[in-house]
Amino acid sequence: MKVLCFSSFTFAYLDRARVLFATLRRHHPDWRLVALITDHPPPGVEIDLSAEAFDQVVWFEDLDIPGGRSWLFGHDVVEACTAVKGPFLLKAATEQPVDAVLYLDPDTALLNDLDPLIGMLGQHDGLLTPHLLAPETTLEGILDNERSVARTGVFNLGFLAIRTRGDGLRMAQWWNDRLLAFCHDDIPEGLFVDQRWCDQIPAFFPGFGIVRDPGYNVASWNLSHRRIRFGADGSAYANDAPLRFWHFTKLGPVGEGMTRRYARDNVEVYEIWNWYKRQIALYRDPRIPERWWYWGQYADGRPVAREDRLRYRRDPELQRRFPDPFATGPDSYRAWLDTQHG
């Protein structure tokens, strides 16, 4: 089976993406690896992407999304990097000579091969991993994990796999359409970027399967039910299943705090986290600011406030009047905002 695997990120996450693609290349040298980048490097920083572990770079501009810069302006960095997953998934499924397309978040890393997933795709047109595989047994777990899933979605879209046929292809078209119009972080309106939409996939697309193996998508939110251990040969296991990939979400105090809360005395968890942090340090480029995003600022360098994005996104007249909202100077959206702020 010919497989394409991609990840969507900005240059601020290049270190994480490098770890992901290095582990993918180690375990699956025959897969086509694609970096989907909605960004440009910081001024004066040259990065030789041809030397990276991925085979191809696809830029936001390559997706030919209707509205282009106007559409992009209506999204913050998380919304943008998740919204473009739909257009690229559809593009890959319809234009690339592959049998399957996989997506992995840039802050994941393989600890084993994903061959069993490919086997599952022989029986299903697509695969999803739930955040949780078992009910929580403590009030703390219910509040942290089950309640969070109720807000953000049953399935974690840090992973997705489809066949380029049947329900896989139909889902790609549906998801593309939904993400182009509604990939917003707006929990009160029932939206959490790409995830809440996918709660409907088992009803809409019966060819999809649900991966219930605890070795996939291990993360802080499911550690209360996944005991990690190492075998005699150093291989990692989750509940005695080979540990396939880990999702190192919110690397830093938040993610590590939640991991400690649920790993407790499972010291192997901390060994894996420490290994990942060493890998990140190895691949970090100190020239890239921690929160760099080219599309996070106007043409004159001033940051784009979230309220400016929301105002523009919700007003078709502003979109018509200012087709390039990143521009500055006379007759620009930025100049118009200055008059409104008085």
Side-chain angles (χ1 to χ4, degrees):
M1 188 180 294
K2 293 183 179 179
V3 177
L4 182 152
C5 185
F6 76 102
S7 190
S8 176
F9 57 94
T10 67
F11 280 101
Y13 265 58
L14 180 60
D15 50 2
R16 294 163 174 80
R18 283 170 165 165
V19 177
L20 167 63
F21 283 113
T23 61
L24 278 165
R25 184 62 74 202
R26 183 180 310 126
H27 291 287
H28 296 285
D30 57 329
W31 286 9
R32 181 161 185 79
L33 306 181
V34 179
L36 175 57
I37 303 179
T38 305
D39 202 359
H40 293 293
V45 176
E46 293 187 11
I47 298 173
D48 182 9
L49 295 178
S50 66
E52 301 290 342
F54 35 81
D55 300 297
Q56 180 185 2
V57 177
V58 174
W59 303 96
F60 166 77
E61 293 84 351
D62 297 328
L63 298 176
D64 297 322
I65 292 175
R69 292 160 69 97
S70 175
W71 176 89
L72 182 58
F73 187 88
H75 299 76
D76 65 24
V77 62
V78 175
E79 292 171 336
C81 287
T82 48
V84 296
K85 289 159 59 177
F88 181 74
L89 182 72
L90 180 61
K91 193 176 184 70
T94 56
E95 298 179 9
Q96 296 272 356
V98 295
D99 304 301
V101 182
L102 274 66
Y103 172 80
L104 285 166
D105 265 355
D107 55 357
T108 56
L110 272 62
L111 285 89
N112 211 322
D113 67 73
L114 302 184
D115 289 340
L117 284 180
I118 305 307
M120 291 181 222
L121 286 174
Q123 306 298 319
H124 301 282
D125 285 348
L127 297 170
L128 295 165
T129 49
H131 281 98
L132 304 174
L133 292 173
E136 295 290 356
T137 57
T138 66
L139 178 60
E140 179 182 57
I142 293 168
L143 295 177
D144 281 342
N145 299 321
E146 288 191 19
R147 191 176 65 169
S148 175
V149 165
R151 292 194 303 267
T152 62
V154 172
F155 303 104
N156 179 261
L157 267 294
F159 163 81
L160 173 70
I162 66 164
R163 291 294 303 270
T164 56
R165 68 180 190 192
D167 274 350
L169 193 55
R170 285 187 284 272
M171 178 271 174
Q173 180 67 67
W174 168 84
W175 203 41
N176 168 78
D177 297 346
R178 297 302 176 272
L179 297 191
L180 285 177
F182 303 109
C183 188
H184 303 149
D185 184 357
D186 192 350
I187 289 177
E189 288 296 317
L191 299 175
F192 183 67
V193 288
D194 57 343
Q195 286 189 169
R196 287 299 302 275
W197 289 108
C198 292
D199 288 354
Q200 303 178 73
I201 285 178
F204 290 170
F205 307 103
F208 267 68
I210 298 173
V211 180
R212 292 185 168 86
D213 185 319
Y216 295 89
N217 220 342
V218 178
S220 59
W221 57 74
N222 54 42
L223 277 177
S224 59
H225 290 281
R226 302 193 194 191
R227 187 76 181 178
I228 309 302
R229 68 174 180 84
F230 296 125
D233 63 352
S235 298
Y237 293 84
N239 294 357
D240 295 326
L243 201 168
R244 301 291 174 176
F245 70 89
W246 197 293
H247 196 156
F248 297 91
T249 188
K250 293 182 172 61
L251 184 66
V254 174
E256 292 181 31
M258 290 299 292
T259 297
R260 284 194 298 271
R261 179 178 297 182
Y262 290 102
R264 296 186 171 87
D265 63 347
N266 194 168
V267 296
E268 290 85 348
V269 170
Y270 307 117
E271 291 185 41
I272 291 173
W273 263 84
N274 288 334
W275 165 82
Y276 185 70
K277 288 190 288 185
R278 289 194 300 272
Q279 295 300 302
I280 293 296
L282 179 66
Y283 284 112
R284 180 170 291 127
D285 187 331
R287 300 172 301 168
I288 301 174
E290 185 176 352
R291 298 185 179 276
W292 169 258
W293 188 41
Y294 178 85
W295 302 107
Q297 56 197 340
Y298 291 98
D300 63 3
R302 281 189 288 178
V304 179
R306 179 163 175 78
E307 55 266 28
D308 297 350
R309 294 187 189 276
L310 294 177
R311 189 171 192 170
Y312 185 83
R313 184 169 83 197
R314 294 166 177 169
D315 192 334
E317 176 57 27
L318 288 176
Q319 297 165 28
R320 183 200 63 76
R321 184 175 172 187
F322 305 109
D324 183 3
F326 292 100
T328 53
D331 301 320
S332 66
Y333 177 56
R334 178 66 259 178
W336 179 83
L337 282 171
D338 288 340
T339 66
Q340 302 302 301
H341 296 158

